[in-house]
């Protein structure tokens, strides 16, 4: 495994992610921002942030699997959420939890969450991009 995740002493422990990712692999992988499209290009979970977050994570997992990797190889995630407010955090966490259950993993690399005005189409509520390191 090319990634070690840690929470340094002196920084708060965050349940949803680790503060630091240490990469030792030899290849950087950049996964384009994933939205809540299924394999046919249909939007999953219209109006449902939880379902869309779950689908984004599953799409990232699909991309990782294609290159022989997994969420264990993800060094950093960036989440873009339309009209973000802190009261949406439970929906976001539930989507991540559902994806983790489906994938049998706990995807907790460092993450940055950004509130945005809009994404590519009005139906998309979230977009998530990933950077991974593989050997």
């Amino acid at each position: 495994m090319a990634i070690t995740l840690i929470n340094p002493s002196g920084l708060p422990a965050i349940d949803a992610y680790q503060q630091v990712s240490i990469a030792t692999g030899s290849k950087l992988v950049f996964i384009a921002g994933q939205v809540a499209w299924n394999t046919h290009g249909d939007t999953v979970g219209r109006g449902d942030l939880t379902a869309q977050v779950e689908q984004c994570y599953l799409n990232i997992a699909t991309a990782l699997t294609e290159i022989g990797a997994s969420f264990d190889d993800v060094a950093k995630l960036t989440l873009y959420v339309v009209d973000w407010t802190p009261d949406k955090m439970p929906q976001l966490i539930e989507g991540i939890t559902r994806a983790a259950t489906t994938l049998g993993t706990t995807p907790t690399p460092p993450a940055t969450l950004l509130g945005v005005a809009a994404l590519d189409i009005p139906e998309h509520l979230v977009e998530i991009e990933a950077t991974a390191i593989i050997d």
Side-chain angles (χ1 to χ4, degrees):
M1 178 171 27
I3 303 294
T4 302
L5 302 175
I6 65 168
N7 269 324
S9 60
L11 292 179
I14 308 293
D15 290 338
Y17 62 88
Q18 304 295 307
Q19 294 277 16
V20 175
S21 175
I22 302 165
T24 58
S26 58
K27 293 181 186 176
L28 281 172
V29 177
F30 300 95
I31 298 174
Q34 296 298 303
V35 293
W37 278 329
N38 63 18
T39 58
H40 305 292
D42 301 318
T43 298
V44 173
R46 288 177 186 254
D48 183 346
L49 180 60
T50 298
Q52 289 198 18
V53 168
E54 179 182 18
Q55 186 64 45
C56 291
Y57 271 77
L58 296 177
N59 290 348
I60 291 168
T62 297
L64 290 165
T65 299
E66 182 70 21
I67 61 168
S70 72
F71 261 99
D72 290 338
D73 300 303
V74 173
K76 174 87 168 52
L77 294 169
T78 304
L79 296 84
Y80 303 90
V81 182
V82 173
D83 296 326
W84 173 257
T85 56
D87 64 313
K88 293 181 180 179
M89 186 61 81
Q91 295 169 309
L92 182 81
I93 297 297
E94 177 62 22
I96 294 168
T97 300
R98 285 178 12 188
T101 299
T102 299
L103 298 169
T105 187
T106 305
T108 60
T112 298
L113 188 152
L114 300 167
V116 297
L119 292 170
D120 59 334
I121 60 174
E123 291 82 18
H124 290 157
L125 305 176
V126 61
E127 182 170 332
I128 304 173
E129 63 184 23
T131 303
I133 312 294
I134 58 175
D135 291 320

